Amino acid sequence: MILPVLVILTTIGTALLGGLFLAFSVAVMPGLHRRPAAEAAGATQEINRAIVNPVFGLLFAGTGLLAVATAVLAALAGSWLVVAGAVLAVLGAHVITFAVNIPLNTALDRSTADGGAWERFERPWNRAHTVRTLLTVAAAVLLVV
């Protein structure tokens, strides 16, 4: 009885994260790209500070924990699409974020927000972000199916 509840909660969290990531892909990052490099770097530093808040923390950490629990229980139940969705949620939203996006954010935050810092940040951050967005959206789809 707990697995269906976990799947629903994991799906909601994953879909919300996927939506947030998509908003960055289609609006925030293109908007920043149109600004001078130093301005884009400074704005990104502020965005990185603003996103560290209880609502995002609960969504991000909670979804990760739910996805792990969902994957374990779904594997025990033999629900392999649910396992795949939960694993993709963790890979997309969490592993890529911790392995690539956060270190790039930290490096940018430690910089003087100049144009060179933005040049080193933008392309690799966007590449990793595109992958995590696609994986997170795919995870939500698999969890719904």
Side-chain angles (χ1 to χ4, degrees):
M1 188 65 189
I2 191 156
L3 182 58
V5 172
L6 285 175
V7 172
I8 290 168
L9 293 174
T10 302
T11 303
I12 292 168
T14 301
L16 287 170
L17 286 173
L20 175 66
F21 294 160
L22 184 63
F24 263 80
S25 293
V26 301
V28 175
M29 294 309 287
L32 290 171
H33 183 75
R34 291 184 180 102
R35 305 304 308 156
E39 185 181 315
T44 300
Q45 289 173 332
E46 292 305 318
I47 291 167
N48 289 338
R49 288 181 190 99
I51 202 162
V52 179
N53 66 68
V55 173
F56 179 75
L58 180 62
L59 174 63
F60 188 78
T63 299
L65 293 172
L66 286 167
V68 169
T70 299
V72 170
L73 290 180
L76 293 173
S79 299
W80 301 111
L81 281 177
V82 172
V83 171
V87 169
L88 281 182
V90 172
L91 284 174
H94 299 84
V95 172
I96 292 172
T97 297
F98 282 109
V100 181
N101 295 95
I102 289 175
L104 288 168
N105 289 346
T106 301
L108 183 66
D109 196 47
R110 290 183 178 153
S111 75
T112 57
D114 60 14
W118 182 251
E119 295 299 325
R120 292 185 300 277
F121 171 85
E122 184 182 21
R123 180 170 282 160
W125 194 93
N126 280 329
R127 253 186 269 137
H129 180 71
T130 298
V131 172
R132 75 178 173 173
T133 302
L134 292 172
L135 289 177
T136 304
V137 171
V141 169
L142 287 174
L143 289 164
V144 169
V145 176

